[in-house]
Amino acid sequence: MSKTKILNLDMMSLQNIDEDSDLIPLMTSDDEEAISKESLPEKLPILPLKNTVMFPGVVIPITASRDKSIKLIKDANSNDKLIGVVSQIDPKIQTPSLTDIHPTGTVAKILRVLKMPDGNVTVIIQGKKRFSIEQIISEDPYITATVKEIIELKPEKNNKEFIATIESIKDIALKIIDENPNIPSEASFAIKNIQSDSFLVNFVCSNMNLSVKEKYEILNTSDLNKRALMCLKQMNIELQRLSLKNDIQSKVRSDLDQQQREYFLHQQLKTIQEELGGVSYDEEVNEMRIKSTKKKWSKEIGDHFKKELSKLQRMNPQVAEYSIQRNYLDTYLDLPWNEFSKDNFDLKRSNKILDRDHYGLKDVKKRIIEHIAVLKLRNDMKSPILCFNGPPGVGKTSLGKSIAEALGREYVRISLGGLRDESEIRGHRKTYIGAMPGRIIQSLKKAKTSNPVFVLDEIDKLSVGNQGDPSSAMLEVLDPEQNTSFYDNFIESGFDLSKVMFIATSNNIANVQPALRDRMEIVHVSGYTIEEKYNIAKKHLIPKQIEEHGLSKNIVKINKQSCEKIIDGYTRESGVRGLEKQIAKIIRNVAKCIAMQEEYSSDLNLEDIYKILGVSISKDQYENNEVAGVVTGLAWTQFGGDILFIESALSKGKGNLSITGNLGKVMKESATIALEYIKSNADDLLIKLETLTKHNIHIHVPEGATPKDGPSAGITMLTSLVSLLTQKRVKSKLAMTGEITLRGKVLPVGGIKEKILAAKRAKIKEIILCKDNKKNIDEIDSSYLKGLTFHYVSSMKQVLDIAITNQNVKNHKNLDVK
């Protein structure tokens, strides 16, 4: 029992329902035949409708608000989805009984149930067959009755009168659709595509503007031919009513002259603007025209602007396109077309600024000064694209700011981390709602010059999304041969980016698309040593934190020993971000003591550092060489260099090799290569093959939670296995790094500087490297190499000769190496 609300379902709505469900709204003759063969249930739940009549084959939505109706719909939807739909005689009755409803109705199938926010239920149903109520079974919780199918009397196939009636219904239906502007034009498409004659009659009757009583009379007629004639009669009445209505409207419509109408509206608009004290649209256009005369753009851009401005002038200010067009022209006026800041080519000044802002980084500063020198000599050089690649916190982004200050250019920064929409780079078409230029053009608007220093931060974090690949969109931006006319979708014209100095930053250059990487000059920014970090803390971090916490300059001091303890004991990084956080924690503690008038030490020693920062981080230190099979290796991580330990052990078995420690595929392959090399050279290494076939070998790299991969632990794994199998000690205070091959060669690896710094921190004295890595050692400042001895090797035999001593350790209880 429901209060219904019939929604006007046009052809497109029906097709949308069809795509999401199994029904076909425009029923064919085959569908009609299939429905006629379906058996009718003996009993049905009866749903009374207040203001409509359900016809077979027709799809309608109804909204149920009465509790009984909602209960009926939920129960039927969870069972066979069939309900009996009847119309009420009196729509005012809230709880109708058998005497309040028409005895003839339509069996309907529930297609979809939608819960509405107001608590009502909207259900989409499709009529199947007509029925008559025989006997009420129950009225609680809703009406349930036994029903009987009403057989439809159809005319013969070649009945000329019926064929003419159906054709007339179609013709008049199309005329009504044309005459009535409230009916969507898609309805004519629906009428033309209906194949079933009975469904055509039902469809038209269901959608006609008739009373419930008139619709019920048509539904209650069993003879299809009579029902078609009744429908045609009502359609003729409807068509006559529409024609009369349209004639009356055309007679009383005022036919104003177009020029008069425009003048009248324009004068009204002008009066309203003057009353509100606003600027008229004509004044806005004139203001834009005056601004355009001061721009330094080319003739082509100027002509394009004039064309778009005249288009704005012809537009009605009240339409939505007006604001889009005005925003488009404002963007053109705000862009710095051919406006350049003057470069400062004082190289000594540039050097001072770079040294003032950044400690160390000699190679990076050298490359920047070289670039400024070439700019000074040529003055028209296309700016190359530099990419500062290195671990977090080493000052890559702030280098761009220093370069901008050194050159006297504007500084612009864009964070590309997580960017996955190509339109963020290239902009949106101006025809879209909310369209705007890409970030490149937006940033140039803010900079107000065409030659700023442009920092593209975290270029390795660009992502591929559903809206395209932004890294591919960056190819044109970062190509000096193409970016002379960078095309943004919003401005629809080429903009010259060749004078912009682009600087990209990345943590891992391997993540950058190869084509994009090829367009940039990679400048590696390595991590800092303890000495460099101390100087950075002394010159930059400590004064900065003291000032930010509102303290005077000399109120607190951190001596060198304490500062180095903070660096070595409380941070584990290549950069200085973590160091700055620890210093901030110390200064915060001093500020708290001053604010609360507590005692504090102005010259902080190690004991004060421990009280404030707590227990220091345990760092990997060199382990002794008392145990066979434990070797120290050197590794590179995104946080800089580190040491790692390779451990190996034997157990009785069948010669299986197992590897643990969260290792990657390449690292596991290195272990396999090392073992195969030992097997093929067992006699030379004085190792019995029986030992390898009767024992299982297990290799483990501690810190299993940390993923580890790469080939640089190859010689470390080889040394560990030989030490284990020969039960010989490994040389003390020794670390190594290098890739191995099955032929016995040692290959070079990367990250040498970071690995050397890690070795120094771990008190390592000797390091084994591939001889091809000697050039990397030569590039490192000699002050960092004090106390280290390097062994350059080219074969595994050389590695073993240096690393394995003749000192025996206590033999493995299951291993005989004699």
Side-chain angles (χ1 to χ4, degrees):
M1 300 145 186
S2 73
K3 175 184 177 182
T4 62
K5 179 184 175 185
I6 302 303
L7 301 179
N8 200 359
L9 284 185
D10 58 28
M11 165 61 185
M12 299 306 292
S13 308
L14 296 173
Q15 286 185 333
N16 289 336
I17 295 168
D18 183 32
E19 290 170 4
D20 295 333
S21 64
D22 296 330
L23 76 106
I24 301 176
L26 298 183
M27 193 162 49
T28 64
S29 300
D30 293 337
D31 298 327
E32 184 181 4
E33 186 178 347
I35 289 175
S36 67
K37 291 179 180 178
E38 291 178 6
S39 59
L40 201 67
E42 291 182 6
K43 60 179 183 177
L44 281 173
I46 305 300
L47 179 67
L49 303 182
K50 284 185 178 181
N51 53 2
T52 192
V53 175
M54 182 82 197
F55 283 85
V58 179
V59 176
I60 63 168
I62 61 171
T63 299
S65 60
R66 294 185 281 201
D67 294 338
K68 287 189 174 185
S69 300
I70 294 171
K71 171 70 174 169
L72 182 151
I73 290 166
K74 287 182 179 177
D75 290 350
N77 191 46
S78 60
N79 294 320
D80 58 2
K81 299 185 182 295
L82 291 179
I83 59 174
V85 178
V86 297
S87 55
Q88 288 184 205
I89 297 170
D90 184 0
K92 296 178 182 178
I93 297 174
Q94 290 298 319
T95 310
S97 61
L98 179 62
T99 56
D100 302 317
I101 59 177
H102 289 292
T104 301
T106 304
V107 178
K109 184 177 182 180
I110 296 174
L111 303 179
R112 185 170 303 168
V113 177
L114 306 170
K115 293 182 179 178
M116 308 307 289
D118 58 0
N120 295 339
V121 173
T122 295
V123 59
I124 299 172
I125 56 177
Q126 182 182 29
K128 294 286 187 179
K129 292 182 175 183
R130 294 180 308 138
F131 71 92
S132 62
I133 297 174
E134 287 194 328
Q135 186 178 356
I136 297 293
I137 297 174
S138 68
E139 293 191 15
D140 187 60
Y142 42 76
I143 298 175
T144 307
T146 57
V147 295
K148 180 182 178 182
E149 181 179 350
I150 298 175
I151 306 300
E152 188 170 68
L153 301 176
K154 294 186 179 180
E156 295 176 3
K157 285 188 177 180
N158 298 323
N159 189 322
K160 294 181 180 180
E161 181 186 352
F162 179 73
I163 292 171
T165 304
I166 293 299
E167 292 297 324
S168 298
I169 289 173
K170 282 189 177 181
D171 293 340
I172 295 175
L174 295 174
K175 288 179 182 178
I176 290 173
I177 291 166
D178 291 336
E179 291 279 343
N180 194 341
N182 297 323
I183 299 177
S185 58
E186 288 84 5
S188 61
F189 182 81
I191 295 294
K192 290 175 184 177
N193 283 275
I194 293 175
Q195 299 173 8
S196 168
D197 295 337
S198 62
F199 177 65
L200 176 67
V201 175
N202 292 336
F203 183 83
V204 172
C205 291
S206 178
N207 287 282
M208 270 199 299
N209 190 20
L210 302 177
S211 66
V212 172
K213 184 180 178 182
E214 290 171 331
K215 286 186 177 181
Y216 178 73
E217 286 177 4
I218 297 173
L219 177 71
N220 200 30
T221 304
S222 298
D223 191 329
L224 179 58
N225 191 19
K226 289 182 180 179
R227 205 156 72 241
L229 289 170
M230 292 170 70
C231 176
L232 184 60
K233 177 184 175 183
Q234 296 293 345
M235 290 180 73
N236 278 315
I237 295 170
E238 179 69 16
L239 181 61
Q240 290 174 19
R241 188 185 295 119
L242 271 173
S243 299
L244 184 60
K245 181 181 176 183
N246 291 338
D247 288 341
I248 293 168
Q249 284 182 349
S250 63
K251 287 176 183 177
V252 298
R253 186 183 297 121
S254 300
D255 190 18
L256 285 175
D257 181 78
Q258 184 65 22
Q259 289 184 351
Q260 257 188 330
R261 184 172 177 274
E262 286 184 2
Y263 176 77
F264 178 70
L265 291 173
H266 185 73
Q267 290 299 318
Q268 274 192 327
L269 186 62
K270 188 175 180 181
T271 305
I272 292 168
Q273 286 172 347
E274 287 173 357
E275 288 293 329
L276 294 173
V279 180
S280 69
Y281 295 109
D282 287 340
E283 288 180 21
E284 282 186 353
V285 172
N286 290 333
E287 191 179 333
M288 286 183 178
R289 187 176 287 108
I290 293 167
K291 281 185 179 180
S292 67
T293 58
K294 300 176 183 177
K295 302 300 289 184
K296 299 177 182 177
W297 49 37
S298 63
K299 185 178 183 300
E300 182 185 351
I301 299 297
D303 291 343
H304 178 75
F305 180 84
K306 289 175 184 176
K307 180 181 176 183
E308 295 295 326
L309 187 63
S310 63
K311 190 187 293 184
L312 177 75
Q313 201 166 9
R314 293 193 302 270
M315 278 185 180
N316 183 349
Q318 302 303 315
V319 299
E321 287 78 7
Y322 184 88
S323 60
I324 295 172
Q325 184 72 3
R326 188 177 62 181
N327 183 34
Y328 175 69
L329 294 173
D330 283 338
T331 302
Y332 257 77
L333 291 171
D334 292 340
L335 280 173
W337 302 90
N338 297 321
E339 293 178 17
F340 306 102
S341 59
K342 189 176 180 182
D343 288 333
N344 188 334
F345 294 124
D346 188 342
L347 298 182
K348 291 182 179 178
R349 174 180 171 274
S350 301
N351 232 336
K352 284 181 182 178
I353 290 172
L354 292 171
D355 287 336
R356 180 199 71 195
D357 295 341
H358 296 84
Y359 186 85
L361 306 177
K362 289 184 179 178
D363 292 337
V364 180
K365 291 176 183 175
K366 180 183 174 184
R367 176 64 189 86
I368 293 166
I369 295 299
E370 287 172 356
H371 171 65
I372 297 173
V374 176
L375 273 177
K376 180 179 180 180
L377 295 175
R378 289 201 54 175
N379 203 29
D380 63 345
M381 174 185 171
K382 289 181 179 178
S383 298
I385 286 82
L386 302 177
C387 179
F388 296 143
N389 178 60
V394 294
K396 301 185 295 296
T397 306
S398 58
L399 268 169
K401 201 166 188 177
S402 299
I403 294 169
E405 186 181 348
L407 282 171
R409 293 188 178 189
E410 292 295 323
Y411 170 73
V412 177
R413 174 184 166 273
I414 294 180
S415 178
L416 300 177
L419 200 72
R420 57 179 64 206
D421 189 349
E422 183 186 344
S423 59
E424 291 282 349
I425 306 298
R426 286 197 172 276
H428 307 80
R429 298 270 180 202
K430 68 174 181 178
T431 52
Y432 296 148
I433 295 172
M436 61 179 67
R439 291 199 184 185
I440 304 295
I441 297 298
Q442 286 185 48
S443 299
L444 287 172
K445 275 173 60 179
K446 294 176 184 176
K448 298 182 180 178
T449 62
S450 293
N451 64 336
V453 173
F454 215 119
V455 174
L456 302 168
D457 218 2
E458 310 288 358
I459 200 168
D460 57 327
K461 307 295 190 306
L462 283 172
S463 305
V464 178
N466 296 328
Q467 289 79 29
D469 181 5
S471 62
S472 298
M474 291 296 294
L475 295 176
E476 185 184 2
V477 177
L478 299 183
D479 192 337
E481 298 301 323
Q482 295 181 39
N483 64 12
T484 51
S485 57
F486 169 68
Y487 186 87
D488 187 279
N489 290 327
F490 184 80
I491 64 172
E492 297 177 336
S493 296
F495 194 93
D496 187 3
L497 299 179
S498 61
K499 300 296 189 293
V500 178
M501 185 176 184
F502 287 103
I503 296 174
T505 71
S506 70
N507 299 131
N508 187 359
I509 199 66
N511 293 338
V512 180
Q513 189 187 114
L516 188 57
R517 190 163 62 237
D518 183 60
R519 283 163 168 77
M520 300 185 291
E521 181 181 338
I522 311 301
V523 179
H524 293 284
V525 184
S526 57
Y528 296 112
T529 63
I530 292 178
E531 292 82 1
E532 287 175 328
K533 286 183 180 181
Y534 166 69
N535 282 290
I536 292 169
K538 181 182 176 183
K539 292 182 178 181
H540 300 285
L541 305 183
I542 296 173
K544 177 187 172 185
Q545 291 300 324
I546 288 174
E547 183 181 350
E548 285 188 357
H549 287 81
L551 304 179
S552 56
K553 289 184 179 179
N554 299 318
I555 200 163
V556 62
K557 292 181 181 178
I558 302 175
N559 57 44
K560 184 176 182 181
Q561 186 182 12
S562 300
C563 192
E564 288 182 349
K565 177 60 181 175
I566 299 169
I567 295 165
D568 194 43
Y570 294 92
T571 63
R572 192 172 185 175
E573 58 179 351
S574 292
V576 291
R577 250 188 216 122
L579 174 59
E580 185 174 12
K581 290 176 184 176
Q582 297 300 330
I583 291 171
K585 191 175 181 180
I586 292 167
I587 302 301
R588 239 182 355 257
N589 184 270
V590 173
K592 183 206 77 171
C593 292
I594 294 172
M596 297 181 70
Q597 298 181 350
E598 297 175 354
E599 289 187 5
Y600 70 96
S601 175
S602 59
D603 191 358
L604 297 170
N605 55 32
L606 293 176
E607 187 177 345
D608 298 323
I609 298 298
Y610 178 78
K611 284 180 182 178
I612 297 169
L613 299 182
V615 180
S616 62
I617 300 170
S618 59
K619 290 220 169 188
D620 290 333
Q621 295 293 332
Y622 170 77
E623 295 185 0
N624 60 51
N625 62 339
E626 300 298 322
V627 181
V630 179
V631 184
T632 307
L634 298 174
W636 181 89
T637 69
Q638 60 175 334
F639 303 109
D642 206 349
I643 65 169
L644 55 82
F645 301 101
I646 308 289
E647 303 175 346
S648 53
L650 282 174
S651 59
K652 284 187 177 181
K654 298 181 180 180
N656 296 328
L657 173 66
S658 54
I659 308 165
T660 55
N662 199 355
L663 308 184
K665 185 178 178 182
V666 176
M667 207 163 178
K668 289 179 179 178
E669 288 174 351
S670 296
T672 307
I673 293 168
L675 183 60
E676 291 303 317
Y677 176 81
I678 291 170
K679 286 180 180 179
S680 60
N681 295 275
D683 293 339
D684 295 338
L685 298 171
L686 303 177
I687 296 172
K688 291 182 179 180
L689 281 174
E690 292 180 8
T691 306
L692 296 169
T693 56
K694 293 182 179 180
H695 293 85
N696 290 336
I697 297 176
H698 187 109
I699 298 176
H700 177 64
V701 183
E703 294 189 38
T706 307
K708 296 170 277 289
D709 200 8
S712 62
I715 64 172
T716 317
M717 288 182 169
L718 172 72
T719 306
S720 173
L721 291 174
V722 173
S723 170
L724 175 73
L725 295 168
T726 60
Q727 290 293 292
K728 300 286 186 183
R729 297 177 189 269
V730 177
K731 197 172 186 180
S732 64
K733 303 290 183 181
L734 175 75
M736 59 189 72
T737 183
E739 184 180 355
I740 57 176
T741 70
L742 275 175
R743 291 180 294 163
K745 290 185 67 176
V746 178
L747 302 179
V749 292
I752 295 300
K753 181 181 177 182
E754 286 80 3
K755 292 176 179 178
I756 300 305
L757 298 178
K760 279 201 74 175
R761 289 196 297 268
K763 307 295 190 293
I764 299 293
K765 300 296 182 186
E766 297 180 63
I767 297 173
I768 299 177
L769 296 167
C770 175
K771 67 177 182 179
D772 291 335
N773 282 126
K774 187 177 185 304
K775 61 180 181 293
N776 301 109
I777 300 297
D778 295 338
E779 292 175 356
I780 301 173
D781 194 321
S782 58
S783 62
Y784 303 152
L785 306 178
K786 287 180 182 178
L788 291 175
T789 303
F790 295 95
H791 301 282
Y792 301 107
V793 298
S794 58
S795 68
M796 296 185 190
K797 188 176 183 305
Q798 292 175 300
V799 174
L800 298 175
D801 289 343
I802 297 167
I804 305 296
T805 67
N806 290 322
Q807 299 174 337
N808 291 328
V809 294
K810 185 178 181 181
N811 285 346
H812 194 285
K813 64 181 180 179
N814 296 320
L815 179 64
D816 180 15
V817 295
K818 293 182 181 178

